[in-house]
């Protein structure tokens, strides 16, 4: 059995702030400018299909048609927004401190997809690295090694230079996951 939360929960936690802001501003006429700014940022990050779905949700659309054309990650985000609009208690807490090692499988999959030419994965991992850089500390160090990993760097000594034990553990977990993905 894995120590990692299920993939859906990982995605909800990674995108907690986006989900929370979208659920709180979506369909709220007084906060329309906030919602539009949020969508503009998401659109710039390459989330065109998700933005279209959130616009449909804001217009009152519900049901399976909202999810048409969305990949798994976007579906999970849109679903979390809908649930959060109905019951704010279901919204993920962006301040919730999580073990960063929980992100290893998701990061490895995105790095692998970006390395194999997936433009959406490249845009997403770039956006995540930007966010991690602004946090500073170990997260900024991790953000700094994402590009080398996309370019094929797999030397753990080089990648973990200057990291604390938790950062090293995360990098080693990512490298392990990448090894599995690249073996297939």
């Amino acid at each position: 059995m894995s120590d990692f939360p299920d993939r859906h929960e990982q995605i909800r936690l990674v995108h907690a702030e986006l989900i929370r802001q979208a659920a709180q501003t979506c369909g709220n006429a007084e906060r329309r400018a906030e919602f539009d700014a949020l969508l503009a940022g998401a659109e710039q990050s390459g989330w065109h299909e998700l933005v279209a779905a959130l616009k449909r949700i804001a217009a009152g659309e519900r049901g399976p048609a909202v999810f048409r054309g969305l990949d798994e990650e976007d579906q999970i985000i849109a679903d979390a927004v809908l649930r959060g609009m109905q019951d704010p208690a279901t919204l993920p807490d962006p301040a919730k401190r999580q073990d960063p090692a929980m992100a290893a499988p998701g990061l490895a999959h995105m790095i692998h997809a970006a390395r194999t030419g997936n433009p959406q994965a490249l845009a997403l991992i770039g956006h995540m690295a930007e966010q991690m850089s602004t946090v500073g500390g170990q997260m900024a160090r991790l953000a700094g090694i994402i590009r080398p990993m996309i370019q094929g760097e797999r030397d753990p000594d080089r990648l973990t230079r200057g990291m604390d034990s938790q950062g090293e553990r995360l990098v080693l977990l990512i490298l392990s996951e990448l090894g599995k993905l690249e073996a297939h």
Side-chain angles (χ1 to χ4, degrees), residues 4-16:
F4 300 114
D6 95 327
R7 180 166 165 70
H8 287 231
E9 188 59 18
Q10 284 183 38
I11 291 169
R12 284 174 31 85
L13 290 172
V14 166
H15 302 292

Side-chain angles (χ1 to χ4, degrees), residues 3-85:
D3 291 336
F4 300 114
D6 95 327
R7 180 166 165 70
H8 287 231
E9 188 59 18
Q10 284 183 38
I11 291 169
R12 284 174 31 85
L13 290 172
V14 166
H15 302 292
E17 190 59 40
L18 170 70
I19 292 166
R20 182 172 284 282
Q21 287 180 11
Q24 291 172 343
T25 60
C26 187
N28 182 338
E30 295 170 6
R31 297 181 73 181
R32 183 63 193 208
E34 266 181 87
F35 182 68
D36 289 342
L38 180 68
L39 294 184
E43 187 104 55
Q44 286 179 335
S45 296
W47 291 12
H48 307 289
E49 294 82 8
L50 177 61
V51 167
L54 292 175
K55 285 179 180 177
R56 289 193 307 270
I57 291 169
E61 188 174 329
R62 303 294 184 266
V66 169
F67 303 102
R68 194 170 298 125
L70 299 180
D71 64 18
E72 178 191 23
E73 184 173 26
D74 290 351
Q75 286 179 22
I76 293 166
I77 293 169
D79 180 64
V81 169
L82 281 168
R83 290 175 190 271
M85 290 172 66

